[in-house]
Amino acid sequence: MNTNINVLHNQLDTHKISIQEPERYNQDLYIWPIRYNDTHMFIQSSYLNIVHALQYFNNISLSCYYKPVQESKKKFNTMIKDIDTYMITQIKQLKKNIKHKKKLVYKKCYTTQNKYVYYNFKLQHYNQEIMCDIYDEHKQKTNKQYIQPGSDAYAILWLKNIWLKGNKVG
């Protein structure tokens, strides 16, 4: 497998997404690794505003104007919606492949309200420690306390896998 990092900025071709064989961790948990063009799948967000930062659960909510003037925001919105649509379609087939009978609940990573799109991205963490890097506007490494509501940010999103636990999918 190719180990190069490929960060998608502008467009996405869902035909280049491949879903690997599932890893079963227990009776209820399945994980399907995702690749894009045979590499890890990363997407760079457009310029977004941090609406809410729930430090305890490592949740970060970002917003972006729904009808943005900037072309990069339009492209980012389109990429996220295309990925969600594609994943919903794929999980239905993956569910059949493992003979899973429960009705699934798939929560999209975005919602729309008025003229805004709200994204909910979780920071990667292990044992309550963040496993990703956070940088300030001067490209200096910092910590999660730096993330405050009302701040502006860019994000690199790693689409690592699809998981199924019970009737929940993400």
Side-chain angles (χ1 to χ4, degrees), residues 129-164:
E129 293 294 321
I130 290 180
M131 302 303 292
C132 61
D133 295 332
I134 299 169
Y135 294 87
D136 66 14
E137 68 273 16
H138 304 292
K139 299 183 181 181
Q140 300 299 311
K141 197 171 177 178
T142 186
N143 58 35
K144 73 177 181 178
Q145 280 68 35
Y146 184 78
I147 300 170
Q148 297 296 318
S151 301
D152 294 319
Y154 287 96
I156 302 289
L157 308 173
W158 180 12
L159 287 82
K160 186 175 179 180
N161 55 44
I162 299 175
W163 56 266
L164 169 67

Side-chain angles (χ1 to χ4, degrees), residues 28 32 84 87-89 91-92 95 100-109 162-170:
D28 278 347
W32 291 267
D84 259 359
M87 292 303 165
I88 289 169
T89 309
I91 198 65
K92 290 176 184 175
K95 176 185 162 190
H100 190 272
K101 303 219 185 284
K102 293 181 182 177
K103 185 174 179 163
L104 298 181
V105 177
Y106 182 88
K107 185 177 178 184
K108 293 182 179 182
C109 67
I162 299 175
W163 56 266
L164 169 67
K165 184 171 183 179
N167 70 331
K168 295 182 181 174
V169 179

Side-chain angles (χ1 to χ4, degrees), residues 16-165:
K16 293 182 180 181
I17 297 174
S18 63
I19 300 172
Q20 311 299 305
E21 289 297 313
E23 299 169 15
R24 187 173 183 177
Y25 289 91
N26 60 37
Q27 163 179 337
D28 278 347
L29 178 61
Y30 291 87
I31 294 179
W32 291 267
I34 297 173
R35 298 287 180 266
Y36 186 81
N37 244 4
D38 217 15
T39 65
H40 292 286
M41 188 172 177
F42 296 93
I43 295 176
Q44 180 176 329
S45 75
S46 59
Y47 188 68
L48 303 173
N49 181 265
I50 297 172
V51 178
H52 182 68
L54 185 58
Q55 301 288 337
Y56 181 73
F57 294 108
N58 299 317
N59 273 350
I60 302 296
S61 294
L62 303 169
S63 74
C64 148
Y65 193 62
Y66 186 66
K67 295 185 179 177
V69 175
Q70 294 172 312
E71 193 64 28
S72 64
K73 287 185 180 181
K74 289 180 188 177
K75 288 178 181 179
F76 179 69
N77 287 337
T78 300
M79 283 196 305
I80 295 298
K81 289 177 182 181
D82 288 350
I83 289 168
D84 259 359
T85 301
Y86 178 76
M87 292 303 165
I88 289 169
T89 309
Q90 292 301 305
I91 198 65
K92 290 176 184 175
Q93 183 60 46
L94 296 172
K95 176 185 162 190
K96 287 180 189 175
N97 293 349
I98 61 169
K99 297 177 176 65
H100 190 272
K101 303 219 185 284
K102 293 181 182 177
K103 185 174 179 163
L104 298 181
V105 177
Y106 182 88
K107 185 177 178 184
K108 293 182 179 182
C109 67
Y110 68 91
T111 58
T112 56
Q113 186 177 22
N114 298 328
K115 295 180 181 181
Y116 291 87
V117 177
Y118 294 94
Y119 300 101
N120 186 32
F121 301 125
K122 293 185 184 211
L123 295 178
Q124 183 183 5
H125 64 281
Y126 179 74
N127 287 339
Q128 298 183 356
E129 293 294 321
I130 290 180
M131 302 303 292
C132 61
D133 295 332
I134 299 169
Y135 294 87
D136 66 14
E137 68 273 16
H138 304 292
K139 299 183 181 181
Q140 300 299 311
K141 197 171 177 178
T142 186
N143 58 35
K144 73 177 181 178
Q145 280 68 35
Y146 184 78
I147 300 170
Q148 297 296 318
S151 301
D152 294 319
Y154 287 96
I156 302 289
L157 308 173
W158 180 12
L159 287 82
K160 186 175 179 180
N161 55 44
I162 299 175
W163 56 266
L164 169 67
K165 184 171 183 179

